[in-house]
Amino acid sequence: GAGVSQTPSNKVTEKGKYVELRCDPISGHTALYWYRQSLGQGPEFLIYFQGTGAADDSGLPNDRFFAVRPEGSVSTLKIQRTERGDSAVYLCASSRVPGTLETQYFGPGTRLLVL
Amino acid sequence: KQEVTQIPAALSVPEGENLVLNCSFTDSAIYNLQWFRQDPGKGLTSLLLIQSSQREQTSGRLNASLDKSSGRSTLYIAASQPGDSATYLCAGFGGSQGNLIFGKGTKLSVKP
């Protein structure tokens, strides 16, 4: 595909359940970022991958959140024991290489609702 | 810690007007700055990226400027159209690796 894709587009779950959100970056992009956007707010950084490794996970709110990128392409954000406060739009972005000279391209997001 | 503020939070203008959206950041050691557009229920579309060594970037009817000394960036939209209606977000790079720090956005409505 030409752009960043994310699945599912919407996810409704119950408090306490486990969810996985998938991101498929633009082919060949080595840098991948996850952000979370709450209603009326700008996106907030969660974690950044360079290749297969998490280069910066300082934005993850707590240890219920975890992300992987085992083959350096597709990434999965995993949330354990979901809470109502986790409800938000989870956005994924990729760039050709990491760094501040590179445009980040965003996917359409996954809208997570925790009941 | 870098913080980004956008003013105004919302703006409504008649079609054809030229308009300016403002973005300010607290840390003048900003690397680069990126402007995005977000349509309701959609992801973000990159509009312009300004490197810290540049003062402005232009794309069609859009012009973005960056003044590191004052910690400000502006997005100028010429001859606005109803299709420009969206939320506009500015983001500065929070570190050398490229994670972005966003403002809350300006919601623009252009009336026909």
Side-chain angles (χ1 to χ4, degrees), chain A residues 77-114:
Chain A
L77 179 65
K78 307 180 181 190
I79 310 175
Q80 299 177 325
R81 304 183 304 280
T82 52
E83 300 178 355
R84 293 191 179 89
D86 298 335
S87 297
V89 176
Y90 290 81
L91 295 164
C92 174
S94 70
S95 62
R96 188 176 58 88
V97 293
T100 62
L101 295 179
E102 297 291 322
T103 296
Q104 291 187 22
Y105 297 90
F106 280 75
T110 293
R111 285 151 191 78
L112 175 66
L113 176 61
V114 182

Side-chain angles (χ1 to χ4, degrees), chain A residues 33 35 37 99-100 104 111, chain B residues 32 34 38 41 97-98 100 104:
Chain A
Y33 305 83
Y35 295 85
Q37 186 175 25
T100 62
Q104 291 187 22
R111 285 151 191 78
Chain B
N32 297 317
Q34 197 164 352
Q38 187 171 33
Q97 299 291 344
L100 292 167
K104 292 184 179 182

Side-chain angles (χ1 to χ4, degrees), chain B residues 2-111:
Chain B
Q2 184 73 270
E3 293 184 4
V4 179
T5 302
Q6 290 189 248
I7 296 173
L11 182 63
S12 181
V13 300
E15 182 177 5
E17 277 204 5
N18 302 323
L19 56 99
V20 175
L21 308 181
N22 297 292
C23 173
S24 62
F25 39 93
T26 55
D27 187 351
S28 62
I30 188 171
Y31 291 90
N32 297 317
L33 188 137
Q34 197 164 352
W35 280 93
F36 294 88
R37 167 186 173 137
Q38 187 171 33
D39 293 282
K42 305 289 186 181
L44 279 65
T45 300
S46 178
L47 298 174
L48 292 162
L49 183 149
I50 310 176
Q51 297 177 26
S52 60
S53 59
Q54 299 172 321
R55 292 186 63 85
E56 64 180 278
Q57 280 285 333
T58 297
S59 176
R61 294 183 293 107
L62 305 180
N63 176 276
S65 65
L66 176 62
D67 183 345
K68 289 184 62 177
S69 62
S70 66
R72 294 181 186 277
S73 177
T74 60
L75 179 67
Y76 176 82
I77 303 178
S80 58
Q81 302 172 358
D84 295 331
S85 298
T87 296
Y88 290 81
L89 295 153
C90 72
F93 286 92
S96 61
Q97 299 291 344
N99 52 294
L100 292 167
I101 298 177
F102 285 85
K104 292 184 179 182
T106 293
K107 185 175 182 179
L108 173 65
S109 176
V110 181
K111 304 295 185 183

Side-chain angles (χ1 to χ4, degrees), chain A residues 27-47:
Chain A
S27 178
H29 280 196
T30 63
L32 186 147
Y33 305 83
W34 282 99
Y35 295 85
R36 178 168 73 172
Q37 186 175 25
S38 300
L39 193 63
Q41 304 293 314
E44 293 181 319
F45 169 74
L46 296 176
I47 186 170

